[in-house]
Amino acid sequence: MSGRAKLTVFAALATLLTSWSLSPLVESQAWLLQAALLLTVQSAVGAGARRVPLARSLTVAAQLLVSLLLLALLFAGKVESTGSGPLAYFVTDFGSLFAQGVHDVGEYAIPAPLTDGIQLLLVSGVLLIGLLVDLLAVTARTAAAAGLPLLALYSVAAGLSGGGEASWLSFLLAGCGYLVLLLSEGRDRLAQWGRVFGSAPRGRGAADSGISGSVQATAPVRFGRRIGAMALGLALVVPAALPALDDGLLGSPKDGEGAGGSGGTISAVNPLVSLQSNLNAQDNRVVLRYRTDNPQQSEQYLRILALDEFNGVKWEASGRALTDVPQQMPVPPGLGDQVREAAAEVTTNITASDGYTQRYLPMPYPATAVEIGGKWRFEPVGRTLVGDQLARDRYQTVQGAEYKVRSLLLKPTAQQLQKAPAPDPAIREEYTKVPDNLPPVVADTARQVTQGAKDDYSRAVRLQDFFAVSGGFRYDTQTASGTGPQAVARFLADKEGFCIHFAFSMAAMSRTLGIPARVAVGFTPGEKQSDGVVNVSMRDAHAWPELYFQGVGWTRFEPTPRSGLNVPDYSRTQAPAAQPSAPAPLPSQGAVQPAPAPSASAECPPEMKKLGECGPTAPQQSAARDEGPSPATVLGWAAVVVAALGLPLLPLLWRSRLRARRLGTGEVLAAWRELGDAAWDVGVAPDEALSPRRAASRVVDLGRLEPDAAAAVHRVAGAVERSLYAPPGAEASYAGLADDVRAARAGLLAAAGRAARLRALLLPRSAARISWAAAARWSALASAASARLTSLRLRLPLRNRG
């Protein structure tokens, strides 16, 4: 295989290895095989065009045309055709599929489902990077510059995925692909010069007279290695020094960088895109402040919107008609007279920060009236206020808004929920739909958990307790946030996740049991300050399931086992009076009461701790535990720092050990090799064509040695001559041999400049012997294996003779 053909293969391989870093962004990796096949064809077209040969521009044009045709063939029929002819397909149909992919990227959280649009973006992106790498590395013969598109691909993937367990593997694969490409290009350049004169044969060893070896022949290869090592070092150090990118497939706006504002939290149209990044935010800034006359402030969630459609891909808000905001909102759906008459109306005055750019208005549920300035629209079914369009690309947001909300404080009892009549058939039909691709384990688990329950309320409470108490689930905001049916099944198996997983799973399982369910997104009640104002911060972002009961309406449940979250009174299986050491506080005052005595916290049952019923000490302990990195993270970074500091010292340690071993034997030739390597380290290249006496004079002259050090070099050279030419039995070594070598080395280092001296100590040139020894060992093993195979073939009997 020619050098250019090898470059073509390694360029495609480097692109494929780097594209593996995109795999955490989607749930399925089926696109990788398609990208590999199309990239192989694209590289083969380039190799054939260069062999013809064609001009560089025609080569790239041929690769681009074939790639477009392959993409058209692969994604044909994925979208309804709106025209006829190939031009209409490429301009309209192909373009609409691409636009659909861009839309899906903005809607889904990581890992996103592999829709046709996202698959097109991934495959076409890998082909584009592969075309650039092939152009730079093979066509333009600048493999080092080909690292730029590879680095761009890896940086985008690493920034969006946010790291994780697979980040080190992705970095290793991408780095290996780039280094192999550099090495192949360096060897190809070296081979074009033919044989390099003046280098020492790899096989010549210790018995040669003179100072063996040469370093000049390996300069191009070493230059490529240095570029690769520097690139990998920068790729490893720079991400650690820069702030991490936000999660979300598109990289939702970071803290303080919301669209159209100077900061933000859930600033995407779909709040799920950045909910996880808010929970993991380092800067837990306040986004909302409010005052309320609600006597149960710890139960007052601020709801943004409801996700009521569960299709085969994700949970989302169904498209419904918007109306003008009424002065008095209609009665909530399903709310009966008995529960409504027992409810009290509360008032909440809310102020949003200047960095909060969400289009949906956070409100207590169910709101009865809203006073706010600006252009807003009302969605009656979800009872949500949405910012109206102000200009072509600008919408009304909550940014800096001050508004008043009147809402109902509903107080349903467990008996009312348990005796609720069957829901309206239209409600049941719409809100119990589950996708056909929902894994059977979801419904099976729901039936097992609720086995023996006689009504929908009892089933809902059992599902809540399964997630919050008895199921062995663990709250972890670092878990990948999936939104589809497969993510629910994966969550039930792994049993770790955060509010999205718990809310989606309970809502999906409720629907399989025939209970109307949807998912609400918003904020938990926040933290009350000494002046009565309640602060809602980024980490208060939350998702929870809402189940429908006729006569009560949509009812909140809390399956997430997160400290500080209180389950509603009507869904508790145990009374708070189970704590005998302290008076049972009212549930509504749990977030504002002073910290209980340590004895009360110590006597709190584990089940109550999981349900957040042990007072405010639990969230404080959780906050203290969540602050700062974990011990495993500290140990990991400590290991990285130790490795980074120790790697530069490896050549120094290797040379010191080799010197001690050579001089410890007392052999003249070993000491002569050590003297030659010491001269090589300071820049005196070895020349094996010289006799020992001439080689010693050369070291003295080029090394600018003082008389004492020069005399030591000549004494060692004389010993080498006696060893090589004296009659058998003559003693060549002498007592001060090792001291003379050390004195000569000290003189060489003293005569060298500071930079040369540091180079000789930290990056000795004689370290090239390591690669020579490895190559010789590999060659010997290959020769032995070849000889063994040959002898085996000779021993095999010859059959069918004559």
Side-chain angles (χ1 to χ4, degrees):
M1 184 183 294
S2 65
R4 179 163 285 191
K6 291 180 180 178
L7 273 178
T8 304
V9 173
F10 287 125
L13 180 62
T15 305
L16 283 178
L17 291 178
T18 307
S19 64
W20 172 261
S21 58
L22 295 170
S23 58
L25 303 182
V26 290
E27 295 179 347
S28 173
Q29 279 72 50
W31 65 273
L32 278 172
L33 179 59
Q34 298 174 344
L37 293 177
L38 269 62
L39 185 62
T40 302
V41 176
Q42 176 181 275
S43 301
V45 171
R50 285 186 290 267
R51 192 174 181 84
V52 169
L54 293 178
R56 292 183 177 183
S57 58
L58 294 179
T59 300
V60 176
Q63 290 178 285
L64 184 60
L65 178 60
V66 171
S67 300
L68 288 176
L69 292 176
L70 290 175
L71 286 173
L73 180 63
L74 180 63
F75 291 95
K78 300 295 185 180
V79 66
E80 288 190 23
S81 179
T82 57
S84 59
L87 183 61
Y89 174 76
F90 278 108
V91 175
T92 59
D93 303 343
F94 204 67
S96 62
L97 184 60
F98 191 88
Q100 178 184 335
V102 174
H103 176 268
D104 292 342
V105 164
E107 285 293 318
Y108 294 117
I110 296 175
L114 189 62
T115 63
D116 294 332
I118 293 179
Q119 185 176 359
L120 172 61
L121 293 181
L122 290 172
V123 175
S124 58
V126 171
L127 287 180
L128 178 60
I129 296 297
L131 181 60
L132 293 176
V133 172
D134 186 85
L135 171 63
L136 294 173
V138 188
T139 304
R141 306 304 291 268
T142 55
L148 294 177
L150 293 176
L151 180 61
L153 177 61
Y154 173 78
S155 299
V156 170
L160 295 179
S161 62
E165 296 180 359
S167 59
W168 286 102
L169 176 60
S170 301
F171 176 79
L172 181 62
L173 292 177
C176 289
Y178 181 48
L179 283 181
V180 168
L181 178 60
L182 285 178
L183 185 60
S184 175
E185 194 248 3
R187 292 187 179 278
D188 182 55
R189 286 181 181 272
L190 191 61
Q192 292 179 5
W193 285 87
R195 177 167 180 168
V196 180
F197 294 95
S199 62
R202 300 282 177 95
R204 301 187 69 166
D208 291 342
S209 63
I211 305 172
S212 63
S214 175
V215 72
Q216 302 301 325
T218 59
V221 177
R222 291 189 298 112
F223 184 71
R225 291 173 181 170
R226 290 174 184 173
I227 293 177
M230 184 178 298
L232 288 180
L234 290 175
L236 181 63
V237 173
V238 171
L242 295 178
L245 297 175
D246 281 341
D247 292 334
L249 197 55
L250 254 189
S252 56
K254 297 177 67 174
D255 308 344
E257 297 179 4
S262 60
T265 53
I266 307 179
S267 52
V269 174
N270 184 354
L272 295 178
V273 174
S274 56
L275 190 149
Q276 183 177 20
S277 63
N278 293 306
L279 294 175
N280 292 318
Q282 297 295 327
D283 181 14
N284 189 27
R285 68 180 60 186
V286 175
V287 293
L288 296 170
R289 290 183 173 88
Y290 68 87
R291 289 180 180 271
T292 182
D293 58 1
N294 189 341
Q296 295 182 341
Q297 179 266 326
S298 63
E299 300 288 338
Q300 180 167 286
Y301 283 46
L302 298 180
R303 187 170 169 276
I304 296 177
L305 80 164
L307 310 178
D308 52 7
E309 183 176 333
F310 186 32
N311 51 37
V313 179
K314 62 177 180 177
W315 284 88
E316 63 181 358
S318 56
R320 301 182 188 275
L322 300 177
T323 64
D324 294 334
V325 180
Q327 291 186 351
Q328 188 72 24
M329 294 185 182
V331 177
L335 182 60
D337 294 338
Q338 184 178 3
V339 177
R340 184 175 55 180
E341 292 172 358
E345 188 174 63
V346 297
T347 302
T348 305
N349 294 283
I350 306 174
T351 301
S353 68
D354 292 335
Y356 183 55
T357 57
Q358 178 59 247
R359 284 182 58 196
Y360 297 91
L361 191 69
M363 299 183 300
Y365 183 87
T368 57
V370 180
E371 298 178 14
I372 186 173
K375 296 183 63 176
W376 296 89
R377 304 281 287 171
F378 178 62
E379 195 274 286
V381 178
R383 301 181 70 82
T384 301
L385 261 65
V386 186
D388 201 359
Q389 187 171 8
L390 301 177
R392 179 177 180 181
D393 297 320
R394 194 163 61 91
Y395 293 86
Q396 178 71 55
T397 68
V398 192
Q399 184 178 14
E402 297 182 4
Y403 56 102
K404 178 190 293 187
V405 181
R406 291 197 298 272
S407 59
L408 294 178
L409 176 58
L410 302 178
K411 300 177 182 179
T413 64
Q415 291 75 16
Q416 290 173 333
L417 293 169
Q418 191 172 15
K419 296 179 180 179
D424 183 88
I427 295 290
R428 180 186 291 274
E429 181 182 1
E430 180 177 1
Y431 294 101
T432 57
K433 292 179 180 179
V434 293
D436 296 335
N437 60 343
L438 184 68
V441 66
V442 179
D444 295 342
T445 304
R447 287 193 296 268
Q448 293 174 6
V449 171
T450 60
Q451 186 175 5
K454 299 180 180 179
D455 53 78
D456 288 346
Y457 166 75
S458 301
R459 297 185 185 97
V461 172
R462 289 196 181 185
L463 287 178
Q464 175 181 265
D465 293 345
F466 170 68
F467 289 110
V469 179
S470 61
F473 289 86
R474 188 172 67 90
Y475 182 81
D476 183 8
T477 59
Q478 301 298 327
T479 306
S481 58
T483 61
Q486 297 300 328
V488 177
R490 186 168 57 249
F491 170 65
L492 293 177
D494 298 341
K495 293 193 173 183
E496 60 180 18
F498 59 104
C499 56
I500 285 180
H501 302 89
F502 290 96
F504 287 174
S505 300
M506 181 172 174
M509 295 169 72
S510 299
R511 287 194 172 191
T512 63
L513 298 174
I515 307 175
R518 64 187 185 186
V519 175
V521 180
F523 295 98
T524 55
E527 183 177 354
K528 192 170 185 179
Q529 308 300 307
S530 59
D531 59 354
V533 175
V534 182
N535 289 344
V536 179
S537 61
M538 296 172 64
R539 294 180 190 171
D540 291 319
H542 192 48
W544 61 92
E546 291 182 342
L547 275 57
Y548 183 87
F549 293 91
Q550 192 67 32
V552 179
W554 290 104
T555 308
R556 176 178 66 88
F557 284 81
E558 190 53 82
T560 304
R562 170 181 161 190
S563 297
L565 296 182
N566 294 333
V567 299
D569 293 342
Y570 48 78
S571 65
R572 290 177 179 161
T573 56
Q574 299 183 23
Q579 306 179 48
S581 60
L586 292 175
S588 61
Q589 301 172 350
V592 298
Q593 292 292 329
S599 60
S601 176
E603 297 175 8
C604 181
E607 293 79 6
M608 304 297 287
K609 288 183 179 180
K610 286 190 176 183
L611 292 175
E613 296 297 331
C614 295
T617 54
Q620 293 175 0
Q621 293 172 359
S622 175
R625 184 172 56 251
D626 292 340
E627 293 293 335
S630 63
T633 304
V634 173
L635 291 177
W637 279 111
V640 170
V641 172
V642 171
L645 295 177
L647 284 177
L649 300 178
L650 289 181
L652 174 63
L653 298 176
W654 171 78
R655 282 291 291 122
S656 300
R657 182 177 181 184
L658 180 62
R659 184 182 311 110
R661 188 170 69 247
R662 285 172 171 175
L663 299 182
T665 61
E667 296 180 0
V668 175
L669 295 181
W672 180 244
R673 285 196 298 273
E674 175 57 34
L675 179 58
D677 284 351
W680 188 5
D681 290 341
V682 296
V684 181
D687 188 352
E688 65 177 12
L690 301 177
S691 65
R693 186 170 302 181
R694 293 288 303 276
S697 299
R698 182 170 177 268
V699 170
V700 171
D701 294 338
L702 297 180
R704 301 187 301 276
L705 293 180
E706 297 293 334
D708 292 341
V713 172
H714 285 298
R715 283 195 296 271
V716 176
V720 173
E721 288 181 340
R722 289 194 299 273
S723 175
L724 294 176
Y725 307 121
E731 182 62 32
S733 182
Y734 58 96
L737 177 64
D739 293 335
D740 282 345
V741 174
R742 294 189 183 96
R745 177 176 178 272
L748 290 168
L749 291 176
R754 177 178 299 178
R757 189 160 53 248
L758 289 176
R759 163 70 189 272
L761 293 174
L762 299 178
L763 294 173
R765 294 175 173 84
S766 59
R769 294 190 184 279
I770 299 177
S771 61
W772 294 357
R777 180 73 59 86
W778 175 258
S779 179
L781 291 176
S783 300
S786 178
R788 186 176 293 272
L789 290 176
T790 302
S791 62
L792 182 62
R793 285 198 301 268
L794 293 176
R795 293 176 187 174
L796 292 177
L798 299 178
R799 298 181 180 179
N800 301 327
R801 279 186 158 181

